[in-house]
Amino acid sequence: HNTIKSMLTDILRLFQGIGAFLIGMRLVSKSLSGVAGGKIEALFKKLGNNKLAAVGVGMGSAAVLQSSSATTVILLGLVNSGIVSLFQATCIIMGANIGTTVTAVILSFNSLPIAEIFAFSVFPGALLVMSAKKEKLKNIGKVLSGVGLIFIALDVIKAGAMDLKNSPGFVSFFSEIGSPFLLILIGIAFTAVIQSSSALTGLILTLSELGIMPVVSTFYIIMGSNVGSCATAMLASVNGTPNMKRTALIHLAFNAIGLIIFLPFVVVFGQDVVDKLSMLGEAALVAYFHVAFNLLTTVILLPFVQRIANFTTEIIKDPVKP
């Protein structure tokens, strides 16, 4: 009876951590777009047909907004009003997918002493929010508080997972899911529901670091979570113009093609790579895989940007004028 009670308490603690993480991400994302949002839109508008510049802007904006979904939703609005072309949108989305991996790399620092400094930023942030008169300073305070909350949330997730490590049922559940397809589905479903691939990355980083989940299993979940992160843009484009729908489809196609390219390699070589690079530590391996997935998919697909844009135009036709 006590075992079940303590397991439930630990699972609740995991979800408390995920909840605090999502609020922290939201605070950072909202406040940074308050500081830099207008500038990001202005940058989007200035882009010509330079592929690399568009990828760079996508990377920067997703790193700033802490979310490829947030970048894609801003992008949908600009595509809708005809300010950004489909060609530009495709490049920006590729960059945005790389930009979001910055969060995973920062989260992998959670095992370093640097994490305490990040977590402490919630204190000066709160003081700024409460005392600052200027809106810009308040926003900076909210960013600091959000970053602090994210790292405090990771500590809560870690505490819950540490206790759950003593529960054989929980550990065997995660260590025995061997099916790549099931792991990919978990990644898709979890990210589509909580609308944040970063929160899922934070959770699986912790589980792999504590030895609860094999590192290779996290690779499948990350590939799934990249596909699941498209749900936000898909929903936002439902009542939009054909170009909005095409942009959301490009976002989905990019991640789905990445999954198809990477899956055979992870199945065949995943464990070898983990064994060879084990000195990096589990958290770093999870974070760097996330970076490699998006970076290599972009490098492979960048030459075909125009084809991808044309392909979505073929699938989603313009309405026939009466």
Side-chain angles (χ1 to χ4, degrees):
H1 180 71
N2 278 347
T3 325
I4 292 173
K5 189 181 170 191
S6 70
M7 188 170 164
L8 277 175
T9 311
D10 298 331
I11 288 173
L12 282 175
R13 194 181 296 172
L14 269 188
F15 281 97
Q16 288 160 11
I18 292 168
F21 189 103
L22 291 172
I23 293 289
M25 289 289 290
R26 184 96 181 138
L27 254 178
V28 173
S29 168
K30 274 272 195 238
S31 317
L32 274 171
S33 53
V35 177
K39 295 189 183 80
I40 286 173
E41 295 199 11
L43 265 176
F44 280 3
K45 290 174 190 175
K46 278 187 190 149
L47 285 173
N49 275 345
N50 184 331
K51 283 184 197 175
L52 289 177
V55 170
V57 168
M59 273 170 71
S61 56
V64 164
L65 296 174
Q66 293 282 298
S67 163
S68 63
S69 307
T71 306
T72 310
V73 170
I74 293 176
L75 193 56
L76 287 175
L78 295 172
V79 169
N80 199 20
S81 50
I83 293 167
V84 171
S85 72
L86 258 188
F87 177 87
Q88 292 167 324
T90 309
C91 297
I92 292 170
I93 284 170
M94 289 179 174
N97 278 325
I98 299 171
T100 52
T101 63
V102 170
T103 320
V105 174
I106 293 170
L107 295 183
S108 69
F109 297 159
N110 196 35
S111 45
L112 303 176
I114 201 169
E116 278 76 23
I117 299 161
F118 277 124
F120 177 74
S121 68
V122 79
F123 180 67
L127 292 180
L128 257 180
V129 172
M130 290 162 76
S131 59
K133 298 280 182 283
K134 286 185 176 167
E135 199 54 41
K136 198 159 195 177
L137 278 176
K138 270 193 194 307
N139 273 330
I140 291 168
K142 285 177 187 171
V143 171
L144 286 172
S145 300
V147 169
L149 251 183
I150 286 170
F151 277 87
I152 291 167
L154 277 173
D155 266 353
V156 175
I157 290 172
K158 203 168 204 168
M162 281 286 265
D163 292 339
L164 282 167
K165 197 179 176 184
N166 303 323
S167 150
F170 184 80
V171 176
S172 67
F173 174 75
F174 278 107
S175 53
E176 283 171 20
I177 307 174
S179 156
F181 293 106
L182 188 56
L183 288 161
I184 288 166
L185 279 176
I186 290 171
I188 293 173
F190 198 88
T191 308
V193 170
I194 63 170
Q195 307 250 315
S196 167
S197 59
S198 297
L200 180 56
T201 307
L203 177 63
I204 60 173
L205 257 171
T206 308
L207 293 179
S208 66
E209 211 177 6
L210 295 172
I212 294 172
M213 178 180 266
V215 176
V216 176
S217 299
T218 67
F219 293 170
Y220 296 117
I221 290 183
I222 283 171
M223 291 191 283
S225 82
N226 274 287
V227 175
S229 68
C230 304
T232 321
M234 297 300 256
L235 285 171
S237 72
V238 168
N239 294 320
T241 58
N243 260 354
M244 267 180 93
K245 289 179 181 151
R246 287 171 192 146
T247 306
L249 182 61
I250 287 167
H251 192 200
L252 179 63
F254 175 88
N255 288 304
I257 292 168
L259 171 64
I260 292 162
I261 293 169
F262 265 76
L263 185 57
F265 285 100
V266 176
V267 171
V268 179
F269 303 112
Q271 193 55 55
D272 292 345
V273 171
V274 171
D275 294 341
K276 284 203 172 69
L277 300 177
S278 58
M279 67 287 187
L280 291 173
E282 291 85 353
L285 280 172
V286 177
Y288 296 147
F289 176 77
H290 199 190
V291 176
F293 176 84
N294 286 296
L295 192 60
L296 290 173
T297 306
T298 298
V299 169
I300 292 164
L301 294 183
L302 203 55
F304 306 105
V305 169
Q306 194 59 60
R307 284 188 191 170
I308 294 168
N310 295 347
F311 168 71
T312 56
T313 314
E314 283 298 309
I315 289 182
I316 297 167
K317 299 262 195 275
D318 285 311
V320 180
K321 292 189 170 63

